[in-house]
Amino acid sequence: MQVNGQLALTVLMGLFLVAVAAWLARVENWRSYTPIAGGGGYGQGESYVSEKPSGIIRWLTTVDHKDIGILYGAYALTAFVVGGLMVVAMRIELLFPEMTLLSNTFYNSLLTSHGITMLFLFGTPIIAAFANYLVPLLIGADDMAFPRINAIAFWLLPPGALLIWAGFFPIPDLIPAQTAWTMYTPLSAGGGVGNQANAGVDLMLLGLHLTGVSATMGSINFIATIFTERDEKTSWANLDIFSWTILTQSGLILFAFPLLGSALVMLLFDRNFGTTFFAGEGGAMLWQHLFWFFGHPEVYILVLPPMGIVSYVIPRFSGRRLFGFKFVVYSTLAIGVLSFGVWAHHMFATGMDPRLSASFMAVSLAIAIPSAVKTFNWITTMWNGRVRLTTPMLFSIGFVANFIIGGVTGVFLASIPVDLILHDTYYVVGHFHYVIMGAIGFAVFSGLYYWYPLYTGRMYQRTLGKAHFWLTMVGTNVTFFAMILLGYGGMPRRYATYLPQFATLHQLATVGAVILLAGQIIFVWNFVASWLEGPEVTDGDPWDLRESGLYTGEWDWYERKIETAITDGGEEEEAVLPDGGTPDEE
């Protein structure tokens, strides 16, 4: 009887999906419009251009790279809010050692979901948002090489997020995963007497698998686009630095994410079908090798495009071209290659063969060199430049400062004797977050502010933008430097409580987290309010880039868009100066 009921429900859902597909086919002719602004698409006549559908149908059926970029951005920023609120709850729990706001199991659930949300649901998608919107404009392409695959790659992400967060929904007999984001076996395999055999872990693993498939599809698309869709003026010699970083990142994804997918499938088989990939002798070490072969390139997957954003923004507000452009490109490629040879520095404390550990230590130290090359090039670009401290520039400078701290603390962890002392302490948390939030987060904000007029047609409130920067800069350093000091004191990470001697530094970190939260509230208010009511930007060069010869293709596209709107009956308004000041001051 139960089987018949499930079969009937499956058939009913299938009919429902068919009905939805038929309805979409009726309300939207999928070949009726071109995703290209002002041009025809493949298989269409040159003179045939139809309007996009309006409302929700547009966003559900679009294959326009700019629309998909905005969808990625909205999705990623939503995940950023969710992950940020999770960590605020955790920091409040750690305000006092005896605090019992959260149970230990719920704290572990937030710990796990915070890491996975920020890395897989915010970090990778926000980069895809920039890449989808900008890469075709920068290289002179009409769209991505495979527009429909581009749309499919995005629409895999919302169900992935729902699966990852499923344990937090009020579903009977379902609890969130408590494995930490690394999902170490045998804990994640459901062994022991814990609650990790719960289906919430399986759903999380399936959600992660979907996000990996999405990232892999996107990487193939970016590689094909950059190789085949460049216009005649864009050669490899003058390809912009952001596109170089996206190309390198896509190559890393192509090799790293399928391995993670394979490991997740094996883990799911262990949990549900009685296989023993990770259950037998050496299974825990096997999982770590497979996971970190993905996991450490993942850090560079996340940091390379933000490096590209910073390498793009700093010259624009320094009034000069990027110093040593070729060396920045070569260092990007070097990081891409070396990143696959450093994974076992996460495993120095596992008792590996010392000869093997020594080789990984050498490569881990060596990968700091191309990162240092970039850092010196950014500083030299600003040296004696005509620096304008706009909000994008402030966040880029903040990126450089925080990246130096995150990089130097990482060099210590690459040394075996030091790592054996600091492994699994708050020092690792502080180092990692200096790179993830202090560097990647700052570069993302820099890009969001720099290209804000491009995708909104409006200008943000400059005072709120700078308040966002200073609160974020202070909050980041107060929070994560306190964690580095906690690590030196011997405080282990992933604990819901602590000994009284660590109270002062934990309270300092919580104060920093509250400052960070205040900055992000200002950001959300400024971002949304300016999009709805901010002054319109009617100048195709809102940052005055022509004066320094740094005007680029995306602003050329924006200028053509404005001219087209005026021709079609729009009204030209007074241009808005970027980030304050008068023409005399600029």
Side-chain angles (χ1 to χ4, degrees):
M1 189 69 181
Q2 186 177 3
V3 174
N4 291 336
Q6 290 178 348
L7 183 61
L9 183 60
T10 303
V11 172
L12 184 62
M13 289 302 298
L15 291 174
F16 174 73
L17 291 174
V18 170
V20 170
W23 179 75
L24 287 175
R26 284 192 61 193
V27 300
E28 168 61 18
N29 182 355
W30 291 64
R31 296 181 181 271
S32 66
Y33 75 95
T34 171
I36 306 162
Y42 178 76
Q44 295 172 324
E46 292 183 3
S47 61
Y48 178 75
V49 179
S50 177
E51 291 185 359
K52 297 179 182 179
S54 60
I56 190 66
I57 298 300
R58 168 190 172 182
W59 297 104
L60 290 175
T61 63
T62 183
V63 294
D64 184 342
H65 69 96
K66 297 181 292 297
D67 288 348
I68 293 173
I70 291 175
L71 286 172
Y72 268 110
Y75 172 90
L77 291 175
T78 302
F80 182 73
V81 171
V82 173
L85 292 176
M86 287 177 175
V87 83
V88 168
M90 291 162 57
R91 286 308 327 168
I92 292 174
E93 170 66 24
L94 294 171
L95 189 58
F96 301 105
E98 64 275 9
M99 181 78 80
T100 55
L101 178 68
L102 307 174
S103 67
N104 291 346
T105 55
F106 193 67
Y107 179 92
N108 292 337
S109 300
L110 292 179
L111 176 78
T112 300
S113 294
H114 163 72
I116 290 174
T117 296
M118 288 306 201
L119 291 172
F120 294 94
L121 305 184
F122 167 69
T124 310
I126 195 65
I127 292 167
F130 284 111
N132 270 282
Y133 203 103
L134 294 167
V135 167
L137 299 180
L138 292 171
I139 67 175
D142 289 333
D143 205 305
M144 297 289 287
F146 307 111
R148 285 174 176 78
I149 291 178
N150 199 28
I152 293 169
F154 169 75
W155 287 110
L156 288 174
L157 289 176
L162 292 177
L163 289 169
I164 289 169
W165 295 333
F168 292 99
F169 300 145
I171 302 173
D173 300 323
L174 198 66
I175 60 175
Q178 299 163 38
T179 61
W181 80 277
T182 55
M183 298 166 284
Y184 279 173
T185 58
L187 177 65
S188 60
V193 294
N195 52 20
Q196 296 313 295
N198 189 270
V201 181
D202 296 300
L203 295 179
M204 179 197 70
L205 297 175
L206 289 170
L208 281 174
H209 197 62
L210 280 182
T211 64
V213 172
S214 167
T216 305
M217 293 173 68
S219 69
I220 294 170
N221 212 348
F222 286 122
I223 291 171
T225 300
I226 295 173
F227 267 88
T228 65
E229 299 296 317
R230 302 191 314 275
D231 66 7
E232 296 176 355
K233 298 178 182 178
T234 307
S235 64
W236 290 113
N238 62 10
L239 183 67
D240 65 279
I241 188 61
F242 180 68
S243 296
W244 271 113
T245 58
I246 291 297
L247 182 61
T248 307
Q249 181 221 33
S250 298
L252 296 182
I253 289 175
L254 208 54
F255 285 97
F257 268 89
L259 187 80
L260 175 67
S262 302
L264 291 174
V265 169
M266 288 189 282
L267 184 56
L268 282 166
F269 271 59
D270 275 10
R271 291 177 55 84
N272 296 283
F273 300 111
T275 57
T276 56
F277 293 109
F278 305 114
E281 184 178 355
M285 285 286 285
L286 175 62
W287 171 263
Q288 289 196 43
H289 278 293
L290 292 175
F291 180 83
W292 287 118
F293 187 83
F294 150 81
H296 204 82
E298 164 69 359
V299 175
Y300 297 104
I301 286 169
L302 293 175
V303 82
L304 281 175
M307 286 177 169
I309 293 173
V310 168
S311 300
Y312 202 87
V313 170
I314 285 178
R316 269 75 197 161
F317 299 108
S318 298
R320 54 189 299 189
R321 295 188 180 279
L322 180 64
F323 179 83
F325 178 88
K326 288 184 179 180
F327 287 96
V328 177
V329 172
Y330 294 152
S331 64
T332 299
L333 298 174
I335 288 174
V337 173
L338 291 173
S339 67
F340 283 101
V342 299
W343 80 85
H345 70 221
H346 294 272
M347 302 169 59
F348 286 155
T350 61
M352 289 170 51
D353 187 311
R355 294 166 295 181
L356 193 61
S357 298
S359 66
F360 280 105
M361 181 178 72
V363 180
S364 300
L365 293 170
I367 203 170
I369 296 172
S371 298
V373 168
K374 291 178 181 294
T375 302
F376 287 119
N377 281 341
W378 294 325
I379 294 171
T380 309
T381 301
M382 292 184 281
W383 194 267
N384 285 336
R386 185 168 168 261
V387 175
R388 292 183 288 161
L389 294 178
T390 60
T391 302
M393 185 63 165
L394 286 172
F395 271 105
S396 289
I397 294 171
F399 168 97
V400 176
N402 292 331
F403 182 70
I404 290 172
I405 299 174
V408 169
T409 52
V411 169
F412 284 102
L413 289 175
S415 174
I416 295 172
V418 179
D419 181 79
L420 291 175
I421 297 172
L422 298 175
H423 183 75
D424 257 350
T425 68
Y426 259 85
Y427 181 94
V428 179
V429 182
H431 150 70
F432 187 63
H433 282 79
Y434 258 110
V435 175
I436 297 297
M437 181 61 196
I440 296 172
F442 273 61
V444 166
F445 289 132
S446 177
L448 286 173
Y449 282 112
Y450 175 68
W451 283 297
Y452 193 85
L454 187 75
Y455 56 85
T456 66
R458 299 178 183 271
M459 183 56 71
Y460 58 84
Q461 299 179 50
R462 64 184 184 272
T463 304
L464 291 181
K466 291 179 178 178
H468 174 216
F469 165 75
W470 286 111
L471 286 171
T472 305
M473 188 68 175
V474 172
T476 295
N477 283 276
V478 169
T479 302
F480 303 127
F481 200 78
M483 291 183 181
I484 287 175
L485 296 178
L486 279 169
Y488 277 127
M491 171 70 200
R493 59 176 175 167
R494 299 181 181 138
Y495 276 71
T497 187
Y498 50 87
L499 297 174
Q501 61 260 36
F502 297 119
T504 302
L505 287 172
H506 268 296
Q507 290 161 2
L508 190 62
T510 299
V511 169
V514 172
I515 295 172
L516 264 175
L517 176 64
Q520 307 329 301
I521 292 172
I522 290 174
F523 162 70
V524 172
W525 171 263
N526 190 11
F527 194 87
V528 176
S530 298
W531 197 323
L532 296 175
E533 300 176 352
E536 293 189 15
V537 177
T538 57
D539 182 5
D541 185 16
W543 300 112
D544 298 328
L545 301 177
R546 284 194 175 97
E547 294 180 8
S548 53
L550 295 169
Y551 189 75
T552 45
E554 76 274 27
W555 299 112
D556 194 37
W557 168 82
Y558 181 65
E559 190 166 47
R560 293 197 306 272
K561 178 183 175 183
I562 295 173
E563 292 172 354
T564 303
I566 295 173
T567 304
D568 288 344
E571 296 182 358
E572 185 174 8
E573 298 184 7
E574 184 179 352
V576 180
L577 285 172
D579 235 7
T582 64
D584 294 335
E585 292 174 348
E586 291 291 326

